């Protein structure tokens, strides 16, 4: 398979991963799954999974919050995994190359994404006018236009970066001021800490801190592997959900009985 065809397939895959974000939500927007497609196309699934897992951890807390547009982890992962695999070398070198390329690419495509989201506002105004005329078919067509714009916003940069190689990305980065790149570097180191902090914040709400404490004890003192801790945590979560649901059922039954008794008393 030539580099052109590989780049084209990877670009299509990157665009489809983006559409999954606003479509079926199958999880392909996540770095780990996005890198699997790259590994299948390039014939190196093992390295792709390792790179995807590394980037998954690094971008663990990157999410859309309010009006905030986060770095585009799709493009960063797809390009990073592709360049890392195509660059050759051992796994450690591939990971280093992937991370070095993924972070700036994700930040650059973030700006493209903001431009696309801004220009797509015109489609909303167009949809208002079409809706007033009652033309449903034309209204549906605008959804495809907006989706195509998002698809191309990922597919085109991914194709250029993969086809022309890491040097193409490097030339773009060389045109960016050094202080801006320094800021990118600092941000890439803060991102993992922010992601873990966001998860810890969720765990500390209400009674969730109990499960965090149990997991910490099992890992730090009982020396259980992470897989075992995860399986125990999933089981405890299921039991917790069953207890809560049973409690709700008992409360509902109690309310129903009280209402029935009140009705009998009224008679």
């Amino acid at each position: 398979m030539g580099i052109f065809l590989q780049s084209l397939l990877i670009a299509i895959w990157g665009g489809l991963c983006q559409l999954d974000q606003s479509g079926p939500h199958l999880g392909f927007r996540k770095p780990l799954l996005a890198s699997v497609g790259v590994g299948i196309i390039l014939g190196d699934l093992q390295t792709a999974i390792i790179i995807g897992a590394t980037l998954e951890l690094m971008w663990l807390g990157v999410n859309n919050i309010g009006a905030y547009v986060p770095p585009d982890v799709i493009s960063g992962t797809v390009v990073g995994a592709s360049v890392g695999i195509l660059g050759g070398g051992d796994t450690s070198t591939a990971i280093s190359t992937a991370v070095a390329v993924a972070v700036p690419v994700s930040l650059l495509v973030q700006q493209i994404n903001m431009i696309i989201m801004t220009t797509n506002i015109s489609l909303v105004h167009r949809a208002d006018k079409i809706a007033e005329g009652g033309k449903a078919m034309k209204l549906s067509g605008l959804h495809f236009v907006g989706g195509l714009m998002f698809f191309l916003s990922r597919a085109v940069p991914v194709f250029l970066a993969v086809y022309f190689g890491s040097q193409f990305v490097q030339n773009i980065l060389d045109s960016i001021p050094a202080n801006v790149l320094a800021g990118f570097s600092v941000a890439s180191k803060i991102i993992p800490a922010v992601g873990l902090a966001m998860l810890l914040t969720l765990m500390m709400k209400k009674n969730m801190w109990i499960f965090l404490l149990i997991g910490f004890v099992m890992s730090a003192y009982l020396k259980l592997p992470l897989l075992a801790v995860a399986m125990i945590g999933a089981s405890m979560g299921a039991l917790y959900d069953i207890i809560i649901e049973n409690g709700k059922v008992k409360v509902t039954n109690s309310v129903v009985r009280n209402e029935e008794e009140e009705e009998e008393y009224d008679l």
Side-chain angles (χ1 to χ4, degrees), residues 121-136:
I121 295 176
S122 61
L123 298 177
V124 178
H125 299 305
R126 176 62 179 167
D128 291 336
K129 295 181 180 179
I130 294 176
E132 292 175 356
K135 300 178 181 179

Side-chain angles (χ1 to χ4, degrees), residues 17 25 55 101 110 131 170 179:
C17 289
H25 292 279
L55 296 177
V101 174
Q110 176 190 31
Q170 189 61 47
N179 57 343

Side-chain angles (χ1 to χ4, degrees), residues 47-71:
T47 303
I49 292 176
I50 295 174
I51 293 174
T54 303
L55 296 177
E56 184 79 54
L57 177 61
M58 188 179 71
W59 282 324
L60 198 59
V62 176
N63 290 291
N64 297 72
I65 302 177
Y68 170 67
V69 178

Side-chain angles (χ1 to χ4, degrees), residues 2 9 34 40 75 78 91-92 94 112 145 179 196 203 223 244 246:
L9 292 176
I40 294 174
S75 302
V78 173
T91 303
S92 178
I112 298 176
V145 174
N179 57 343
L196 293 175
M203 294 178 182
K223 305 300 181 181
I244 294 297
N246 288 338

Side-chain angles (χ1 to χ4, degrees), residues 3-262:
I3 184 63
F4 178 83
L5 182 57
Q6 287 179 332
S7 302
L8 183 60
L9 292 176
I10 293 173
I12 293 174
W13 171 245
L16 292 176
C17 289
Q18 165 56 31
L19 293 181
D20 179 62
Q21 171 67 13
S22 54
H25 292 279
L26 299 176
F28 294 117
R29 191 183 189 280
K30 296 298 183 179
L32 185 57
L33 292 181
S35 63
V36 168
V38 175
I40 294 174
I41 295 172
L42 297 181
D44 191 349
L45 190 57
Q46 180 178 351
T47 303
I49 292 176
I50 295 174
I51 293 174
T54 303
L55 296 177
E56 184 79 54
L57 177 61
M58 188 179 71
W59 282 324
L60 198 59
V62 176
N63 290 291
N64 297 72
I65 302 177
Y68 170 67
V69 178
D72 189 70
V73 299
I74 297 175
S75 302
T77 299
V78 173
V79 173
S82 301
V83 173
I85 294 173
L86 292 174
D90 56 14
T91 303
S92 178
T93 303
I95 294 174
S96 301
T97 303
V99 173
V101 174
V103 173
V105 167
S106 66
L107 293 171
L108 290 174
V109 178
Q110 176 190 31
Q111 307 305 315
I112 298 176
N113 188 31
M114 294 176 64
I115 295 173
I116 295 298
M117 295 178 67
T118 302
T119 55
N120 274 359
I121 295 176
S122 61
L123 298 177
V124 178
H125 299 305
R126 176 62 179 167
D128 291 336
K129 295 181 180 179
I130 294 176
E132 292 175 356
K135 300 178 181 179
M137 294 300 295
K138 289 187 177 181
L139 188 62
S140 299
L142 292 179
H143 291 282
F144 292 99
V145 174
L148 179 62
M149 295 294 291
F150 280 115
F151 177 88
L152 294 176
S153 68
R154 271 66 175 183
V156 173
V158 167
F159 175 81
L160 294 175
V162 176
Y163 182 72
F164 291 104
S166 58
Q167 187 60 43
F168 175 77
V169 179
Q170 189 61 47
N171 291 336
I172 297 178
L173 296 177
D174 290 340
S175 64
I176 302 176
N179 57 343
V180 176
L181 289 178
F184 287 171
S185 177
V186 174
S188 67
K189 297 177 182 178
I190 295 176
I191 287 174
V194 174
L196 293 175
M198 292 176 66
L199 292 178
L200 290 175
T201 301
L202 295 175
M203 294 178 182
M204 295 301 291
K205 289 185 177 180
K206 297 183 179 180
N207 298 326
M208 295 297 104
W209 65 272
I210 299 174
F211 299 102
L212 174 63
L213 181 60
I214 294 174
F216 175 77
V217 171
M218 288 190 296
S219 177
Y221 293 97
L222 300 182
K223 305 300 181 181
L224 293 178
L226 292 179
L227 181 59
V229 175
M231 294 176 67
I232 294 174
S235 301
M236 294 179 65
L239 292 174
Y240 180 83
D241 184 67
I242 292 173
I243 294 172
I244 294 297
E245 290 299 323
N246 288 338
K248 291 180 180 179
V249 171
K250 291 180 180 180
V251 171
T252 302
N253 293 336
S254 177
V255 172
V256 171
R257 284 196 300 268
N258 291 336
E259 291 179 351
E260 291 177 350
E261 291 175 358
E262 291 177 359

